[in-house]
Amino acid sequence: MKFLARRPQKETSEKKKKSMLREWIEAVIFAVVTATLIRTFLFEAFMIPSPSMEKTLLINDYIFVSKLSYGPRIPNTPLALPFTQARMPLFPNMKPYSTAVLWPYKRLPGFGKVQRGDVVVFNLPVGDTVLTSKSGNDVDYYRELHPEKFPSPDIRPIDKRATWIKRCIGLPGDTLEINAGIVYINHLPLDPPEYSQRPYFLFDNECKGLPDSLVTKFEIDSNSFQMRGDSTKFRYYFTQVVARKLRQLGYHIEPVIHSADRDSRIFPRDFEHLYNEDFFGPIIIPKKGLTIALDTSNIILYARAIATYEHNTVDTSSNVIMINAAPASSYTFKMDYYWMMGDNRHFSEDSRFWGFLPEDHVMGKATMIWLSYDKSSIRWRRFFNLIK
């Protein structure tokens, strides 16, 4: 019996050689998919745009944010163009995402939970809003300041809201209070971060202030000035380390503390709570499963969380608090909440202005600076510094 060997066909008859264009398209698709998965589930790069975290983080510090630290968050808007946020580049009036499909909040397992002292990147609660109108509706913060530029609020899905960075000061279930600029957690004073700065008054009878040599040596913030009406009094921003060194050099400095007067910008923006940046609370930070007694004096502190973040109806128009059309004297929270503050605490719009941060707004933990520059040079010494 003879077996006839099958003659191999030419490879060109089975496979057609890919064109260069097709190879480029496949490479680009692979790169986009890979980068998107990395940004969603592993880490993402961000740039620091404001001085609210100085001197821990400086303007034009580029940082990596770990998504694995608290568990990657599944996107709310799966139908979105990669590498975009709320607006299309070059087309600001066009949204690069669709709300036809919205996924509920879900977080995959991570290395742990938010800890006190972590520097956290998050989506600003309730769209870009931090204020409410007289009727109780959410109002865009920048619209309140510049109504000519923002004729209507822009309420976005959570993962498309403005991205902010602050330090976690209070954890779920904590009692928080600020007294004369000192933060107390569960009635114990909290040490400020090592490189945080705050305003100080420097008193100099010679009316000269600090010499340029010390300003340069200690990298003192340029936002300083001589007080009007008192030529011997200067206002500077110092870290604790710099303040201690200046005192050792014989300079008379004192921290700037706001008086205990009400600031209408401060959460919850009512007339009963006489809060400001340096005097606030005490308040209890909501925790999942925690039941808090409600009355007419504290409902305003928690109404936003109950209604906006946990999707209930709240009616406080009468002396009886109504939640979902039923009288309520207490509420059990469904999520954990956090209290965020900037390290530059007199130059930071944080939880003191907009309240509690819900867990579903947390994106990840700031871990490392990978690039940094100022107006004139690259800050080489900040490269690959861990964020503490």
Side-chain angles (χ1 to χ4, degrees):
M1 183 178 293
K2 294 182 179 180
F3 293 92
L4 299 176
R6 181 176 296 176
R7 181 179 295 179
Q9 297 179 354
K10 294 182 179 180
E11 185 177 354
T12 55
S13 65
E14 290 185 351
K15 297 182 180 179
K16 293 183 179 179
K17 186 177 181 180
K18 295 180 182 179
S19 68
M20 183 175 294
L21 176 61
R22 181 177 174 182
E23 289 182 351
W24 271 102
I25 292 175
E26 289 181 352
V28 169
I29 292 174
F30 177 79
V32 169
V33 171
T34 302
T36 301
L37 292 175
I38 290 174
R39 292 176 76 245
T40 302
F41 298 105
L42 298 180
F43 64 87
E44 189 171 354
F46 288 92
M47 187 268 286
I48 304 300
S50 73
S52 68
M53 288 296 292
E54 290 188 356
K55 296 283 189 181
T56 305
L57 295 172
L58 307 179
I59 294 177
N60 293 330
D61 276 350
Y62 286 75
I63 65 173
F64 283 132
V65 176
S66 168
K67 304 294 183 70
L68 291 173
S69 294
Y70 311 132
R73 187 181 59 176
I74 302 300
N76 301 114
T77 50
L79 304 179
L81 292 178
F83 315 120
T84 59
Q85 190 62 19
R87 291 287 181 266
M88 282 281 289
L90 306 179
F91 301 96
N93 294 325
M94 184 181 298
K95 293 183 178 181
Y97 62 91
S98 171
T99 57
V101 177
L102 288 176
W103 287 347
Y105 167 63
K106 183 175 179 59
R107 192 179 296 275
L108 300 179
F111 295 141
K113 293 187 175 182
V114 178
Q115 301 296 314
R116 185 177 297 109
D118 285 357
V119 178
V120 179
V121 173
F122 56 92
N123 295 110
L124 183 65
V126 193
D128 289 342
T129 71
V130 292
L131 303 178
T132 55
S133 66
K134 292 180 179 179
S135 61
N137 296 321
D138 292 310
V139 178
D140 188 273
Y141 173 70
Y142 300 103
R143 176 175 178 263
E144 184 86 359
L145 297 179
H146 304 287
E148 73 283 359
K149 296 181 180 179
F150 299 89
S152 61
D154 181 16
I155 307 302
R156 307 165 187 164
I158 292 175
D159 62 344
K160 296 303 179 183
R161 296 172 187 172
T163 304
W164 283 28
I165 182 169
K166 304 292 178 186
R167 189 179 297 274
C168 177
I169 298 297
L171 296 175
D174 282 347
T175 297
L176 176 139
E177 183 177 8
I178 305 173
N179 193 332
I182 299 174
V183 177
Y184 292 82
I185 298 295
N186 300 324
H187 313 294
L188 297 175
L190 185 68
D191 292 333
E194 181 180 1
Y195 295 106
S196 65
Q197 69 176 14
R198 64 171 301 163
Y200 286 84
F201 286 133
L202 180 142
F203 299 89
D204 180 12
N205 291 329
E206 297 183 2
C207 307
K208 296 180 179 179
L210 291 176
D212 292 341
S213 58
L214 287 182
V215 172
T216 301
K217 177 181 178 180
F218 294 136
E219 298 180 338
I220 294 173
D221 198 303
S222 59
N223 292 323
S224 58
F225 53 87
Q226 192 171 15
M227 301 297 292
R228 293 182 179 179
D230 188 349
S231 59
T232 66
K233 191 176 181 180
F234 297 78
R235 180 180 171 123
Y236 291 93
Y237 281 82
F238 301 143
T239 64
Q240 289 188 105
V241 174
V242 170
R244 183 169 61 251
K245 291 180 177 179
L246 290 175
R247 288 192 178 103
Q248 292 172 351
L249 293 174
Y251 286 95
H252 176 201
I253 60 176
E254 296 179 2
V256 176
I257 299 176
H258 289 78
S259 62
D261 297 328
R262 173 181 173 271
D263 186 337
S264 61
R265 303 171 301 160
I266 297 296
F267 174 81
R269 302 188 72 243
D270 65 341
F271 289 93
E272 184 172 346
H273 297 87
L274 304 179
Y275 296 160
N276 63 32
E277 289 177 280
D278 286 334
F279 293 87
F280 189 96
I283 60 171
I284 299 174
I285 302 172
K287 178 181 180 179
K288 183 177 181 179
L290 176 66
T291 299
I292 293 181
L294 300 177
D295 55 40
T296 55
S297 67
N298 72 353
I299 181 59
I300 194 169
L301 294 170
Y302 302 108
R304 189 187 198 95
I306 297 170
T308 305
Y309 308 145
E310 305 208 347
H311 311 295
N312 299 285
T313 59
V314 178
D315 183 0
T316 59
S317 59
S318 66
N319 291 330
V320 177
I321 299 169
M322 305 291 289
I323 298 179
N324 297 328
S329 59
S330 65
Y331 181 79
T332 301
F333 287 90
K334 305 171 187 175
M335 285 196 297
D336 285 334
Y337 293 80
Y338 302 92
W339 192 265
M340 314 302 292
M341 288 178 63
D343 288 357
N344 191 354
R345 292 181 181 172
H346 289 79
F347 218 107
S348 173
E349 189 174 285
D350 46 41
S351 284
R352 292 170 294 179
F353 291 82
W354 39 259
F356 308 111
L357 175 70
E359 64 176 78
D360 61 353
H361 286 58
V362 173
M363 298 178 64
K365 180 180 180 181
T367 57
M368 185 180 70
I369 301 169
W370 61 275
L371 172 66
S372 182
Y373 65 89
D374 58 21
K375 295 180 180 179
S376 59
S377 62
I378 296 176
R379 306 185 188 111
W380 294 104
R381 59 183 175 78
R382 297 186 64 79
F383 279 39
F384 306 113
N385 284 356
L386 298 180
I387 299 171
K388 300 178 181 178

